[in-house]
Amino acid sequence: MARENGESGKGTWKKQVDDIKKIFELKEILGTGAFSEVVLAQERSTGKMFAVKCIPKKALKGKESSIENEIAVLRKIKHENIVALEDIYESSNHLYLVMQLVSGGELFDRIVEKGFYTEKDASTLIRQVLDAVNYLHKMGIVHRDLKPENLLYFNPQDESKIMISDFGLSKMEGSGEVMSTACGTPGYVAPEVLAQKPYSKAVDCWSIGVIAYILLCGYPPFYDENDSKLFEQILKADYEFDAPYWDDISDSAKDFIASLMEKDPVKRYTCDQALRHPWIAGDTALCKNIHESVSRQIRKNFAKSKWRQAFNATAVVRHMRRLQLGSSMGHSMDSVCFCLIPQGWVLSMSVIPTSSSPVFPLIYYTIFCFFSVCHAPLSGSTLTNWITFHLDSLWFL
């Protein structure tokens, strides 16, 4: 049975439960992260379906403040375009976040599957994102990690609304500290974040500009194989509306993007201003079909959705060490070697046991990432952000 936590302070919103399976029938896994997994679950009492984020408490050691922050943010939010936190349960070993289930898939996947896609479609998408982020900003919340991967469709229907997810890096403005932490996803972060200057909710507006740019051409505004050069481009706001990809895009769309991707955060459009721009509020968004060129570039520059949920290579090494690979066969792990070769786009991981016993073979995974035609930056740590290491298997392109 679930019962409210009677403690004062932060824990009062948690419902204590002995066994979550008494409340939900847990079905298939929807996704995995570095420290949690999301499971499709059916509430036994109502039959309703939810997405339950299952977080082992041992994985939270030292990260309690991070999850507390995410929950504090989610509990404040009620908006039609933001994935809702429905409930929170706590057992002796786990924390369970019961989330609204969204089943329409990721933004890029839907665009590629469409046969017809226009500026007006992109404008409608961005308007929903702006409306949701404007709501967050008025609540004093900065998302700090807006990107296409965090935009999901509510259901599979053609006219489905878009939903913002993943508030793990969100921050409350006015929480007693100046926001200056370098966080977010390379390619979507604002110049002031990279410059390690204090920043505000304007960083979200920059990210929306980057998303709008990609929605109209299918590739990112900043790209370089070298991270330092990539960051230099962002710091200078050095981007172009390249021919021929932008030849059929309206001047109004370009002006809208330029207003959001303004280097100076003081001059940058706010969400309120962006919502009043003619490309959003008026009729300047063109209805010409741009699906062929945009979908071709998306396929070329962005990998399949399951590859986009990657976590850093160092997390993989830590995970391998935690598993003590081979220990069940009486062998300890001698070395875990992680090698990145930026120019060859080859990622290798070798695990070599101390014993020479033929029972325990050399484990060697090599993934060849065929991104030679990509605009997206793929060097060093950036490359690892495009590769998903599932905990029990590796997926190959």
Side-chain angles (χ1 to χ4, degrees), residues 50-53 74 83-87 97-101:
F50 297 94
V52 177
K53 188 173 185 178
L74 286 170
V83 176
L85 174 63
E86 303 286 359
D87 225 333
L97 307 187
V98 182
M99 309 294 298
Q100 179 183 20
L101 181 65

Side-chain angles (χ1 to χ4, degrees), residues 42-60:
Q42 185 172 27
E43 191 173 32
R44 294 188 184 277
S45 61
T46 64
K48 290 182 180 178
M49 304 298 291
F50 297 94
V52 177
K53 188 173 185 178
C54 308
I55 310 168
K57 285 186 176 179
K58 61 183 180 182
L60 290 177

